[in-house]
Amino acid sequence: MDDRAGPSFSLLLKPASADCNLSCDYCFYLEKKGLYPESKTRRMSHEVLEQVIRSYLGTSQPVYSMIWQGGEPTLMGEAFFEKVVALQKQFAPRGARISNSLQTNATRISQELAAHLGRYRFLAGCSLDGPPGMHNRYRKTPRGKGTHSRVMRGVRTLRQHRVPVNALVLVSAANVKHPATVYRHLKNKGFSYLQFVPCLEFDSRGRPLPYSIGAKDWALFLNRVFDEWYASDQSRISIRLFESLLARLVFGRAGECVFAERCDRYFVVEHNGDIYPCDFFVDPGYKIGNILDLTWEEALQSPVYRNFAGLKRQWSLDCDSCAYQSLCLGDCLKYRMHPGQDPRRLSRLCPGWKLFYAHSLERLQALAREIAKGRPRAC
């Protein structure tokens, strides 16, 4: 089968797997080291890197989107990302649009790496949970030291080399009660692109871990941030969640996977070439295969991938009568299936989403009408 045929998809690449120079209390990916116990350090080989890039650029995509994540991808060093660009140049079809994003804790950003990222227009998403006291509560070095100052030093280095920097905020027990403080801190630090992600992790018995948040707190956090953004920052600050909802309301399409009807927008590629359907489901039962052994067309047609993609629509019967079902679509599978394996469970965040939509939807719909009419959004 021609690998250029088929639907569009992105790649979420884990070149250093779950290896990281930090030891954040709430990181769900650190435990994935257990999948690859054969070596102390996990690094993507040149063979795997070349095959990933060559094969992906052999498909037909409106934009070839490669997101370099971890663990901590900067453990690979500047030379690795120089190889990335060289291979992309070598194998890119004529006229191809290539997008590279780096998701990093920003504590290892050197002048040389930042210069390379800026030269080739990488986007950097930096993990930052708010002011030092909130950020440092869970984002620590292996010796237990806070990292806020190191993160901000890395952000300054990236900006010095004209790398666009987004802030990714994990909303946890450390900051969920302080939405305005978090939001204003990020604005004051010059961030104009923000992403808020709920922290919800469980122990082996299905009980939320101490740093997790509840549905109501998630709603109250979003509501306060939305009010501040709506009042004065619509044209200055981009918040991924709100922009994604506006995309859904205006164009009927999902701006991010949580608002998609199917979980088939990207593949995870581990350091050794193993392929999985989702960052939250890097587990043996969801392994699709290895990039050294199969084509992307075969991965797309894999029963594992196709079955996983369809789980999103197997939501609770309660969702069918919900006024917000067309936006929520049952929520992310992580909050429905972990722990347990039944996608028909209501999302643990369901009550919070209802509170948020009740609070914000009318104003979002008004903004959507303005966008649809081609009017500039109010500041």
Side-chain angles (χ1 to χ4, degrees):
M1 238 177 192
D2 183 359
D3 233 16
R4 288 189 177 277
S8 61
F9 59 92
S10 302
L11 298 184
L12 179 58
L13 300 123
K14 306 274 190 176
S17 187
D19 292 357
C20 189
N21 62 308
L22 303 185
S23 184
C24 302
D25 293 347
Y26 47 42
C27 181
F28 74 92
Y29 209 79
L30 289 179
E31 67 181 31
K32 303 303 178 184
K33 294 177 183 179
L35 294 175
Y36 305 103
E38 59 274 8
S39 59
K40 281 191 173 182
T41 57
R42 286 141 285 269
R43 301 291 184 269
M44 185 173 283
S45 68
H46 182 83
E47 177 189 19
V48 170
L49 177 64
E50 179 172 335
Q51 178 61 11
V52 168
I53 292 177
R54 184 199 62 76
S55 62
Y56 184 48
L57 293 177
T59 67
S60 180
Q61 308 291 334
V63 178
Y64 294 92
S65 176
M66 302 183 202
I67 305 160
W68 305 91
Q69 200 190 62
E72 177 49 44
T74 61
L75 291 174
M76 301 300 296
E78 180 196 349
F80 174 82
F81 291 100
E82 290 176 348
K83 290 179 185 177
V84 166
V85 172
L87 289 168
Q88 289 173 344
K89 289 180 177 180
Q90 180 180 347
F91 294 114
R94 189 178 183 87
R97 295 173 60 201
I98 298 175
S99 170
N100 285 294
S101 302
L102 180 72
Q103 184 60 51
T104 175
N105 60 42
T107 62
R108 303 184 74 258
I109 301 295
S110 65
Q111 292 288 339
E112 294 75 17
L113 177 58
H116 177 74
L117 299 178
R119 187 176 304 118
Y120 292 101
R121 300 182 179 180
F122 278 63
L123 169 69
C126 296
S127 299
L128 185 63
D129 291 349
M134 299 179 198
H135 175 93
N136 291 339
R137 181 169 170 186
Y138 296 128
R139 289 197 178 275
K140 303 173 184 176
T141 69
R143 294 186 177 182
K145 294 184 177 180
T147 60
H148 187 274
S149 61
R150 293 175 60 187
V151 172
M152 290 309 305
R153 183 168 63 244
V155 169
R156 289 191 293 271
T157 302
L158 289 166
R159 288 173 172 166
Q160 180 183 341
H161 293 277
R162 300 182 183 276
V163 179
V165 183
N166 298 354
L168 190 152
V169 181
L170 193 63
V171 182
S172 70
N175 55 14
V176 71
K177 300 289 189 180
H178 309 282
T181 301
V182 172
Y183 182 64
R184 293 168 189 172
H185 178 76
L186 296 172
K187 283 204 306 179
N188 291 339
K189 293 298 182 182
F191 290 98
S192 54
Y193 293 89
L194 312 177
Q195 182 178 357
F196 297 103
V197 179
C199 179
L200 191 53
E201 303 294 336
F202 305 94
D203 65 17
S204 60
R205 297 178 61 183
R207 297 171 300 190
L209 291 167
Y211 34 76
S212 296
I213 62 173
K216 183 177 179 180
D217 282 342
W218 173 235
L220 294 176
F221 183 95
L222 290 180
N223 289 351
R224 182 60 185 273
V225 170
F226 180 83
D227 289 346
E228 295 231 353
W229 172 82
Y230 185 86
S232 58
D233 295 327
Q234 296 171 33
S235 62
R236 295 186 296 170
I237 304 290
S238 175
I239 297 178
R240 188 179 183 190
L241 170 61
F242 305 157
E243 300 293 342
S244 296
L245 286 169
L246 287 169
R248 186 85 186 172
L249 291 168
V250 177
F251 305 109
R253 64 170 183 258
E256 55 183 301
C257 61
V258 70
F259 298 114
E261 295 186 9
R262 292 171 56 83
C263 293
D264 59 359
R265 296 170 67 95
Y266 70 92
F267 289 98
V268 174
V269 183
E270 255 289 345
H271 73 292
N272 66 342
D274 285 348
I275 304 171
Y276 300 88
C278 175
D279 194 26
F280 296 133
F281 291 86
V282 175
D283 293 300
Y286 294 102
K287 180 180 171 182
I288 295 167
N290 190 285
I291 192 57
L292 299 178
D293 303 320
L294 82 170
T295 66
W296 288 115
E297 178 62 24
E298 289 169 336
L300 287 164
Q301 296 301 321
S302 160
V304 174
Y305 188 64
R306 291 167 68 90
N307 291 340
F308 181 83
L311 290 176
K312 182 71 182 290
R313 292 191 64 86
Q314 297 180 32
W315 51 61
S316 167
L317 292 176
D318 291 342
C319 296
D320 291 326
S321 58
C322 178
Y324 310 118
Q325 183 269 343
S326 62
L327 290 175
C328 179
L329 297 168
D331 201 10
C332 177
L333 286 173
K334 175 179 180 178
Y335 309 124
R336 290 155 53 182
M337 293 178 63
H338 277 308
Q341 299 297 318
D342 188 353
R344 294 167 296 183
R345 293 174 53 177
L346 280 173
S347 165
R348 297 289 188 108
L349 296 175
C350 174
W353 285 120
K354 287 181 177 179
L355 289 171
F356 168 68
Y357 288 129
H359 180 82
S360 64
L361 185 54
E362 286 188 8
R363 284 175 286 176
L364 284 168
Q365 289 170 332
L367 288 175
R369 288 192 291 271
E370 291 182 10
I371 295 169
K373 292 176 181 177
R375 297 174 183 169
R377 284 153 62 181
C379 177

